[in-house]
């Protein structure tokens, strides 16, 4: 026999246990409908795995465990699932919770079930899983999933296993009757638990008011090899409380806020032990339990083995309830139980007792009186708290202080309320305070979470903002760079007059376009005799002014051509060379003419010189032309229009000079031809000379024409240079007049037969020139 | 003379030593930010609803630290005001009704078949408790919702309801027990004015007497 320790406080309420121990445990009838809540334990509710309309067999899983702390739920009898819906469950709140309703078929057909046989050959974890899957939760009252208590992990070494058979609360005899009738099952369960936990010693704590049970238990223990001590403790409420029983049997006080496992002790209820045995040996899940149906309002108080989900009404009817005497229906014991209003709520895994009390048995609580500071509550408290102090704090809502006075060590046993002479519902105050503190803590947790989320969001938004700002800055820097590049380009353009001229030209073109638009608008307005003519007129004038300004700026820019042109001196030099060569040629020709006129002997020599000079002049001219062309090309490439124009002008002039020179030469040669006799050798020579000169003249002419055509095309491409167009037009007109004059002259000179092809050519040229002139005139008129 | 000098020297050297210690401590153990703001922020309910007129709980905490009134937080209610009063050692005043009244806790609920997926509520939610994308149906993560109400206003189709949090077995609370007869002032928990209640009792008794006498006369 172990030594019995003691715990502080405790009370001795009337037991009222005898009424229900007179009859053996009877099977409660299978009701028509079973209402099985998915949560009958502490932890996460099981998840329904059946659908309405489905047929289930007895022992079939209808809801599976979810999460670490959870157990499965099984069908208590065979039948059809009617609905899965919220229904009233045994809870002090009277609230609804998800329940699976089974319409029983009365056959009570078992599903296939099998025990583990020799469980000692199996892994411990597989047995624990088996227990979890068979829905076993603590049957003492709290309903903590048993598998969790059996699988504590490596950080807990269990040296003592305590089997709780104290059953200290008045009226309840379910465990007592279970021991009396099924002690072998309990011992079998203890063997399984001890195999799983491997404790150094096992204690069964039982109150001394259960003499019969103690005897049976001692009998049963003879069959086991395990060293199990039965510790009979004096009857005192609440010796069945886990922490109190631990203290009673071992003298160890479980620290505040810890569990017995932290001090190497595991507590299991006898009912749980029996359920474990049933599951492991026979594969029977937790689908029924022994329920004490007692109270003065039932004729036959007794213990019933009821299927989980059986409505209380069925049990009460079985116990022959006298409804006219019933005043209060209590689920659980009179100390810790709660009043229920609806007798349709089902029996669950933790329902150990139903008390149908009469008015005399449980009169309504008298109104609470003022606390007289008697201190009886303190003497009764098994948790060694200061109930009076806690009461003040709870009442004035000073929850922090209540918490500091270890409110959470209160087991809500009700001893203090029981002894209170002022009938103060102390436990209700404590429950309320605990609730408030838990809610506050939950809110604090939620607030912390919200703060975290808020701060994370804020950080995210700030980051986004910063990123946006950085991108904007990047863009600004980029823009500044492009701006700077543009600026340098403008400056370069200002330094480079050609670019400036280009810009001015563009500006002039824009203003001209504007002017044209304004003019069109004005004309339309005039045609429609609109009201805003004056305004449009003003606009037109402004546009005209702007156009003139732009044009002036452009002209002034063009008149000041770039001072340094690399090709210009070259061209000039070449031109001078060409001119020099031409002058020499002229002189030589004059000398030759004089010599020829005088039939001089040196004419031959002179002719050779003339030919040489002609060659020279030609090559000089060619060189000049080449350079000129290159320059023109370069300028075209650089789009330096004024230079090109200047070059073109020079070019045209030179070409025209060339042409006129050729013409003069030709005329002179023809004159000389007229003077000499036709049959003389000089005449043939002269004839040859004439044809050569004509050829040269032709060449010069084509060159001139080409150049002019090119210029016109450039002008056309540029489109809008009025001044150039005007000049071109004037030039074309002059060319036409010149050609006309030369034709007249040719016609006036003798021998029309000789000159007829030339005349024809000149005439065709004239026609072309005329055409060009009209074209240019047209273009000009378009712009003007 | 020498004693005075010694005293002066000793005090001077002590002053220098402590000055150095304090200076070092001021640099070494410098507290970043205002710790009182953190403490106030811890007390505030973190709904981030802005009913106080500040954009979130922390700005209001900062404002309180700078002397703002403590009674502008309807979600926190009287509990928060008392906690703040306790912390700041000021008088606990009643909630300022201008900023709203203490009401039941709610969560936002989006009627999903009416949601057009505009994401406006998502942008409004201060705790990112609304899930969804453009042109996709949105929904509220109930466990994260603080019930701040801020998503209701921007919804163009008014498909957001603020529903009171349903009582389930998990959040059900015991109701406070009915207090019994209070005989002495401290029974109430608060120090109420005992005189006035006595006067009221007397008045009642007198009225009773008067009515009984009246009956007897008539």
């Amino acid at each position: 026999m172990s030594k019995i320790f003691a715990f502080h406080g405790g009370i001795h309420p009337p037991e009222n246990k005898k009424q229900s121990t007179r009859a053996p445990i009877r099977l409660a009838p299978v009701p028509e409908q079973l209402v099985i809540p998915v949560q009958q334990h502490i932890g996460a509710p099981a998840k329904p795995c059946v659908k309405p309309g489905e047929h289930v067999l007895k022992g079939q899983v209808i809801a599976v465990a979810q999460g670490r702390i959870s157990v499965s739920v099984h069908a208590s009898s065979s039948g059809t699932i009617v609905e899965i819906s919220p229904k009233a469950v045994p809870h002090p709140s009277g609230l609804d919770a998800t329940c699976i309703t089974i319409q029983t078929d009365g056959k009570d057909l078992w599903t296939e079930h099998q025990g583990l046989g020799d469980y000692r050959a199996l892994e411990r974890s597989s047995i624990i899983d088996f227990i979890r899957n068979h829905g076993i939760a603590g049957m003492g009252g709290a309903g903590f999933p048993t598998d969790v208590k059996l699988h504590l992990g490596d950080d807990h070494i269990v040296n003592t296993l305590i089997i709780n058979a104290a059953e200290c609360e008045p009226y309840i005899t379910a465990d007592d009757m279970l021991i009396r009738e099924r002690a072998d099952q309990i011992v079998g369960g203890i063997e399984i638990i001890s195999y799983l936990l491997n404790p150094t010693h096992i204690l069964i704590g039982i109150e001394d008011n259960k003499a019969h049970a103690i005897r049976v238990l001692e009998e049963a223990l003879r069959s086991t090899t395990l060293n199990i001590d039965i510790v009979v403790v004096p009857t005192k409420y609440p010796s069945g409380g886990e922490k109190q029983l631990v203290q009673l049997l071992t003298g160890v006080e479980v620290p505040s806020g810890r569990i017995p496992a932290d001090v190497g002790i595991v507590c299991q209820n006898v009912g749980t032990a029996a359920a474990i045995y049933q599951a492991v040996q026979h594969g029977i899940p937790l689908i029924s339990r022994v329920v004490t149906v007692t109270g003065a309002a039932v004729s036959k108080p007794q213990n019933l083995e009821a299927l989980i989900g059986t409505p209380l009404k069925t049990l009460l009817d079985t116990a022959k309830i006298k409804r006219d005497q019933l005043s209060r229906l209590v689920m659980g014991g009179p100390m810790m139980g709660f009043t229920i209003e609806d007798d349709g709520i089902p029996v669950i895994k933790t329902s150990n007792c139903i008390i149908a009390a009469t008015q005399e048995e449980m009169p309504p609580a008298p109104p609470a009186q003022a606390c007289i500071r008697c201190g009886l509550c303190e003497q009764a408290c098994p948790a060694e708290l200061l109930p009076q102090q806690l009461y003040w704090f709870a009442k004035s809502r000073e929850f922090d202080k209540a918490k500091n006075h270890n409110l959470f060590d209160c087991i809500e046993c009700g001893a203090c309320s029981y002894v209170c002479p002022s009938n103060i519902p102390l436990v209700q105050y404590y429950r309320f305070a605990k609730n408030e503190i838990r809610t506050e803590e939950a809110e604090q947790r939620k607030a912390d979470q919200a703060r975290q989320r808020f701060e994370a969001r804020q950080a995210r938004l700030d980051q986004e903002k910063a990123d946006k700002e950085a991108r904007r800055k990047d863009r600004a820097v980029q823009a500044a760079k492009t701006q700077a590049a543009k600026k340098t380009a403008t400056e370069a353009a200002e330094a480079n007059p050609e670019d400036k001229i280009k810009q001015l030209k563009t500006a002039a073109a824009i203003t001209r376009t504007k002017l044209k638009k304004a003019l069109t608008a004005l004309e339309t307005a005039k045609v429609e005799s609109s009201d805003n003519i004056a305004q449009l007129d003003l606009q037109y004038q402004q546009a005209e002014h702007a156009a003139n300004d732009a044009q002036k700026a452009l002209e002034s820019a063009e008149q000041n051509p770039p001072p340094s042109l690399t090709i210009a001196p070259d061209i000039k030099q070449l031109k001078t060379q060409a001119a020099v060569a031409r002058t020499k040629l002229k002189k030589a020709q004059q000398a030759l003419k004089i010599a020829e006129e005088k039939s001089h002997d040196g004419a031959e020599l002179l002719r050779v010189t003339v030919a040489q000079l002609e060659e020279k002049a030609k090559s000089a001219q060619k060189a000049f032309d080449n350079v000129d062309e290159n320059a023109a090309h370069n300028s075209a490439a650089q789009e330096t229009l004024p230079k090109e124009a200047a070059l073109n002008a020079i070019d045209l002039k030179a070409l025209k000079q060339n042409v006129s020179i050729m013409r003069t030469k030709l005329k002179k040669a023809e004159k000389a031809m007229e003077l000499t006799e036709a049959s003389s050798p000089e005449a043939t020579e002269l004839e040859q000379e004439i044809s050569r000169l004509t050829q040269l003249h032709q060449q010069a002419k084509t060159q001139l024409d080409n150049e002019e055509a090119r210029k016109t095309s450039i002008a056309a491409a540029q489109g809008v240079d009025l001044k150039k167009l005007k000049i071109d037009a004037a030039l074309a007109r002059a060319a036409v007049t010149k050609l006309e004059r030369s034709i007249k002259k040719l016609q006036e000179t003798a021998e029309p037969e000789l000159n007829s092809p030339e005349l024809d050519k000149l005439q065709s040229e004239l026609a072309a020139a005329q055409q060009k002139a009209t074209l240019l005139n047209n273009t000009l008129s378009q712009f003007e | 003379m020498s004693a005075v000098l010694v005293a002066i020297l000793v005090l001077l050297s002590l002053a220098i030593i402590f000055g150095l210690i304090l200076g070092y401590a001021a640099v070494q153990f410098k507290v970043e930010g205002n710790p009182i703001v953190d403490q106030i922020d811890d007390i505030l309910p973190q709904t981030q609803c802005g009913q106080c007129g500040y954009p979130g709980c922390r700005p209001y905490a900062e404002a309180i630290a700078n002397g703002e009134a403590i009674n502008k937080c309807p979600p926190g209610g009287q509990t928060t005001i008392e906690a703040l009063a306790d912390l700041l050692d000021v008088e606990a005043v009643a909630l300022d009704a201008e900023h709203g009244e203490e009401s039941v806790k709610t969560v936002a609920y989006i009627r999903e078949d009416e949601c057009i997926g505009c994401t406006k509520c998502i942008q409004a939610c201060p705790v990112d408790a609304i899930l969804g994308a453009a042109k996709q149906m949105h929904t509220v993560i109930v466990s994260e919702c603080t019930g701040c109400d801020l998503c209701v206003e921007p919804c163009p189709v008014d498909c957001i309801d603020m529903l009171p949090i349903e009582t389930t077995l998990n959040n059900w609370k015991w109701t406070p027990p009915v207090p019994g007869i209070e005989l002495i002032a401290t029974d109430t928990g608060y120090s109420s004015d005992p005189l006035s209640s006595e006067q009221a009792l007397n008045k009642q008794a007198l009225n009773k007497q008067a009515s009984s006498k009246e009956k007897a006369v008539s």
Side-chain angles (χ1 to χ4, degrees):
Chain A
M1 259 314 190
S2 313
K3 191 186 172 228
I4 302 163
F5 300 85
F7 65 90
H8 179 269
I11 52 167
H12 298 277
E15 287 174 14
N16 288 315
K17 288 187 189 247
K18 295 270 188 303
Q19 300 94 311
S20 53
T21 53
R22 275 169 265 172
I25 299 171
R26 277 180 56 200
L27 277 176
V30 177
E32 263 180 47
Q33 269 197 352
L34 289 163
V35 178
I36 305 170
V38 292
Q39 181 165 26
Q40 305 174 36
H41 49 265
I42 288 174
K47 192 182 172 196
C49 59
V50 287
K51 286 192 177 69
E54 208 175 304
H55 189 263
V56 289
L57 294 171
K58 188 177 185 173
Q60 191 180 328
V61 178
I62 52 173
V64 279
Q66 278 194 118
R68 174 84 181 87
I69 299 174
S70 185
V71 291
S72 300
V73 175
H74 302 74
S76 308
S77 184
S78 61
T80 315
I81 309 287
V82 181
E83 57 178 340
I84 299 167
S85 58
K87 287 212 165 150
V89 292
H91 192 271
S93 65
L95 284 169
D96 292 357
T98 308
C99 294
I100 299 170
T101 310
I102 301 172
Q103 186 75 41
T104 53
D105 55 11
K107 291 175 193 158
D108 215 24
L109 281 175
W110 266 97
T111 183
E112 227 173 272
H113 63 286
Q114 207 174 7
L116 287 173
D118 185 14
Y119 60 86
R120 278 169 221 275
L122 293 167
E123 286 260 339
R124 284 190 172 84
S125 60
S126 65
I127 301 170
I128 289 165
D129 279 346
F130 192 79
I131 289 168
R132 174 182 160 96
N133 292 334
H134 281 69
I136 295 165
M139 291 167 83
F144 193 80
T146 304
D147 66 288
V148 181
K149 271 177 149 183
L150 296 175
H151 188 260
L152 291 162
D154 299 329
D155 50 338
H156 289 101
I157 298 157
V158 178
N159 52 46
T160 308
L161 170 66
I162 291 174
I163 302 300
N164 189 348
E167 202 170 44
C168 57
E169 230 182 312
Y171 286 98
I172 309 170
T173 54
D175 286 351
D176 187 5
M177 292 309 292
L178 191 76
I179 297 166
R180 287 188 203 186
E181 295 189 17
R182 300 172 193 172
D184 53 334
Q185 285 184 15
I186 293 164
V187 173
I190 292 168
E191 280 173 347
I192 297 163
I193 297 167
S194 84
Y195 169 69
L196 292 171
L197 292 173
N198 205 14
T200 45
H201 56 287
I202 304 162
L203 303 168
I204 300 175
I206 187 162
E207 279 191 338
D208 56 10
N209 58 2
K210 299 177 192 66
H212 189 176
I214 294 166
R215 248 191 344 269
V216 173
L217 208 53
E218 276 172 348
E219 199 72 35
L221 287 178
R222 281 191 195 128
S223 63
T224 177
T225 54
L226 285 172
N227 180 23
I228 301 172
D229 282 335
I230 297 174
V231 186
V232 181
V233 296
T235 303
K236 182 166 88 170
Y237 179 82
S239 61
E242 193 177 49
K243 288 180 181 182
Q244 281 66 42
L245 191 65
V246 168
Q247 206 177 349
L248 265 179
L249 302 191
T250 64
V252 177
E253 201 175 342
V254 179
S256 172
R258 310 288 283 276
I259 54 167
D262 293 329
V263 289
I265 298 164
V266 168
C267 236
Q268 293 286 3
N269 181 265
V270 278
T272 317
I276 289 170
Y277 173 82
Q278 289 275 11
V280 174
Q281 290 298 338
H282 306 295
I284 298 172
L286 184 48
I287 53 165
S288 68
R289 70 155 297 143
V290 180
V291 184
T292 308
V293 184
T294 182
V298 290
S299 315
K300 290 183 176 174
Q302 58 185 308
N303 280 282
L304 293 170
E305 186 172 1
L307 295 173
I308 304 295
T310 309
L312 297 190
K313 209 171 88 187
T314 312
L315 302 185
L316 292 171
D317 288 341
T318 313
K320 300 273 187 297
I321 180 138
K322 295 171 273 184
R323 290 197 185 273
D324 51 335
Q325 289 181 28
L326 178 70
S327 81
R328 242 174 126 189
L329 201 56
V330 175
M331 194 159 206
M335 304 299 291
M336 293 182 77
F338 48 89
T339 307
I340 48 173
E341 307 296 333
D342 176 11
D343 63 1
I345 67 163
V347 166
I348 59 167
K349 290 172 185 176
T350 54
S351 314
N352 48 11
C353 183
I354 300 155
I355 304 169
T358 55
Q359 183 80 28
E360 301 81 54
E361 202 178 8
M362 285 188 188
Q369 304 286 308
C371 173
I372 56 167
R373 276 99 167 157
C374 63
L376 281 177
C377 51
E378 190 276 328
Q379 285 167 34
C381 181
E384 291 177 77
L385 300 173
L386 298 170
Q388 205 190 103
Q389 211 58 42
L390 293 173
Y391 162 66
W392 299 124
F393 294 142
K395 201 173 173 186
S396 57
R397 304 178 78 99
E398 289 175 287
F399 301 126
D400 277 353
K401 285 183 189 166
K403 204 176 159 191
N404 290 336
H405 277 72
N406 297 315
L407 173 64
F408 280 92
D409 284 344
C410 171
I411 57 165
E412 299 172 27
C413 65
C416 49
S417 304
Y418 182 79
V419 297
C420 183
S422 288
N423 301 311
I424 299 168
L426 291 165
V427 180
Q428 287 181 41
Y429 278 104
Y430 307 150
R431 282 173 177 160
F432 162 68
K434 279 182 178 181
N435 254 185
E436 287 298 314
I437 292 167
R438 285 202 190 102
T439 315
E440 238 168 63
E441 279 171 355
E443 268 169 18
Q444 192 59 45
R445 273 199 300 279
K446 206 177 167 184
D448 286 343
Q449 205 177 339
R451 189 196 346 263
Q452 258 180 22
R453 287 181 79 86
F454 179 67
E455 276 165 9
R457 179 187 149 91
Q458 220 55 31
R460 197 193 73 219
L461 291 180
D462 286 348
Q463 185 62 43
E464 274 172 11
K465 219 177 178 180
D467 285 352
K468 221 176 183 178
E469 185 66 19
R471 277 204 299 277
R472 195 189 64 75
K473 267 186 186 153
D474 271 2
R475 272 204 303 276
V477 167
Q478 212 68 38
K481 264 186 197 165
T482 19
Q483 204 67 38
K486 238 184 206 170
K487 209 176 171 188
T488 37
T490 331
E491 274 163 8
E494 268 165 16
N496 188 359
E498 291 159 23
D499 283 354
K500 199 180 172 187
I501 286 162
K502 198 176 142 195
Q503 273 178 359
L504 283 168
K505 252 184 201 162
T506 326
I510 288 165
T511 43
R512 269 198 302 277
T513 327
K514 271 186 190 163
L515 176 65
K516 224 166 122 187
K517 264 187 193 165
L519 185 64
T520 335
L522 185 62
E523 271 164 10
T524 340
K526 269 179 189 163
V527 168
E528 290 167 4
S529 57
S530 183
D531 295 337
N532 51 358
I533 288 176
Q535 204 192 333
L536 281 168
D537 204 32
L538 192 71
Q539 270 179 6
Y540 172 71
Q541 273 168 14
Q542 277 171 354
E544 205 175 18
H545 194 69
N548 285 344
D549 278 358
Q551 193 60 40
K552 242 179 241 170
L554 176 61
E555 275 164 19
S556 70
E558 276 179 341
Q559 272 162 12
N560 302 325
S564 61
L565 276 174
T566 43
I567 349 162
D570 227 14
I571 292 166
K572 247 182 193 166
Q573 222 175 341
L574 284 166
K575 220 163 126 187
T576 330
Q577 275 175 8
V580 168
R582 272 200 304 273
T583 327
K584 275 184 184 167
L585 179 63
K586 236 184 196 168
K587 272 181 187 167
Q589 277 173 339
Q590 256 169 356
L592 178 62
K593 228 194 273 174
I594 293 159
E596 274 173 349
E597 275 169 7
K598 291 173 183 172
S599 306
H600 204 273
D601 289 338
E604 203 68 30
L605 194 78
L606 272 170
R607 220 173 276 142
V608 176
T609 324
V610 166
Q612 275 173 356
L613 279 171
E614 265 174 5
E615 203 74 30
K616 251 189 189 169
K618 237 163 83 183
S619 68
Q621 187 64 41
K622 216 186 244 171
F624 167 63
D625 282 352
N626 278 347
V627 170
D628 215 7
E629 221 168 56
N630 281 344
H633 275 203
N634 286 344
S635 61
Q638 289 165 359
E639 294 183 319
T640 49
L641 280 160
K643 195 168 83 185
E644 194 181 26
L647 285 175
N648 280 345
I650 294 161
D651 197 9
L652 279 173
K653 241 183 192 167
L655 282 170
K656 269 174 205 162
Q657 254 171 3
N658 253 359
V659 172
S660 59
I661 286 162
M662 288 306 154
R663 231 183 355 252
T664 330
K665 274 183 194 166
L666 190 60
K667 265 182 213 160
K668 275 177 186 167
E670 276 162 5
K671 242 182 223 169
M673 181 76 170
E674 277 169 38
L675 287 171
T676 47
E677 290 123 358
S679 55
S680 72
E682 285 98 332
T684 15
E685 258 177 17
L686 268 175
E687 243 174 48
Q688 273 174 358
E689 184 73 62
I690 284 163
S691 64
R692 199 173 55 78
L693 280 171
T694 323
Q695 222 167 355
L696 277 174
H697 178 236
Q698 207 60 45
Q699 270 178 8
K701 197 81 182 144
T702 359
Q703 253 179 10
L704 178 65
D705 282 353
N706 282 346
E707 207 56 40
E708 273 183 337
R710 195 167 65 83
K711 230 185 97 185
T712 330
S713 71
I714 288 165
Q718 287 306 313
V720 278
D721 203 337
L722 275 170
K723 203 185 165 196
K724 235 202 276 170
L725 267 175
K726 268 180 199 165
I727 294 164
D728 282 355
L731 280 171
R733 277 197 297 273
V736 169
T737 346
K738 267 183 190 167
L739 277 167
E740 275 170 350
R741 216 181 288 154
S742 62
I743 286 166
K744 230 183 230 170
K745 260 187 191 167
L746 268 172
Q747 278 168 344
E748 272 167 15
T749 49
E751 295 160 23
E753 301 92 17
L754 189 80
N755 286 318
S756 61
E758 209 174 319
L759 192 68
D760 284 347
K761 210 160 46 186
L762 274 172
Q763 262 162 354
S764 65
E765 268 171 21
L766 176 67
Q770 270 170 344
Q771 212 174 349
K772 205 164 81 182
T774 37
L775 197 78
L776 278 166
N777 269 340
N778 281 347
T779 327
L780 196 63
S781 65
Q782 261 182 12
F783 284 106
E784 282 173 335
Chain B
M1 190 64 205
S2 67
V4 173
L5 261 179
V6 165
I8 287 170
L9 278 175
V10 164
L11 285 174
L12 207 67
S13 53
L14 277 174
I16 288 165
I17 290 163
F18 285 119
L20 285 172
I21 291 169
L22 283 173
Y24 175 77
V27 174
Q28 194 65 29
F29 306 112
K30 193 174 191 297
V31 178
E32 292 293 332
N34 192 353
I36 196 78
V37 172
D38 285 330
Q39 285 174 27
I40 296 169
D41 198 31
D42 278 342
I43 290 170
L44 293 176
Q46 304 299 325
T47 42
Q48 320 291 353
C49 62
Q51 288 182 69
C52 52
Y54 292 91
C57 290
R58 198 169 176 88
Y60 182 44
E62 279 159 10
I64 289 174
N66 292 325
E68 175 63 284
I70 58 167
N71 61 346
K72 293 188 173 179
C73 182
Q78 201 61 36
T79 331
T80 301
I81 291 171
E82 269 157 27
L84 286 172
D86 200 32
L87 175 72
L88 302 167
D89 200 19
V90 292
E91 204 181 326
V93 280
L95 185 69
D96 188 354
E98 190 191 315
H99 296 276
E101 279 161 24
E102 196 174 354
S103 55
V104 281
K105 292 223 167 353
T106 54
V107 282
Y109 170 77
I110 295 176
R111 292 196 298 278
E112 288 165 358
D113 43 352
E114 285 170 42
C115 175
I116 55 167
C118 68
T119 74
K120 285 205 169 83
C121 55
I122 295 177
Q123 289 155 33
C125 181
V127 291
D128 281 339
I130 301 177
L131 197 71
K135 308 229 167 152
Q136 306 286 318
M137 180 266 288
H138 304 341
T139 196
V140 176
I141 307 167
V142 176
S143 61
E144 306 294 348
C145 178
T146 61
C148 69
D149 238 29
L150 292 177
C151 53
V152 177
E153 183 62 35
C155 182
V157 290
D158 276 337
C159 72
I160 303 178
D161 294 325
M162 296 307 292
L163 299 180
I165 294 173
E166 225 176 290
T167 311
T168 62
L169 292 184
N170 293 323
N171 62 14
W172 172 81
K173 287 198 290 187
W174 289 91
T175 47
V178 187
I181 296 150
E182 314 292 359
L183 290 183
I184 46 177
T186 49
D187 281 347
T188 53
Y190 300 105
S191 55
S192 64
D193 184 8
L195 206 68
S196 60
S197 56
E198 228 166 89
Q199 277 172 342
L201 281 174
N202 280 343
K203 219 175 182 180
Q204 255 184 346
L206 283 173
N207 283 343
K208 231 181 213 172
Q209 264 186 340
S211 61
S212 64
K213 270 184 187 173
E214 230 174 17
K215 248 181 211 169
V217 167
S218 62

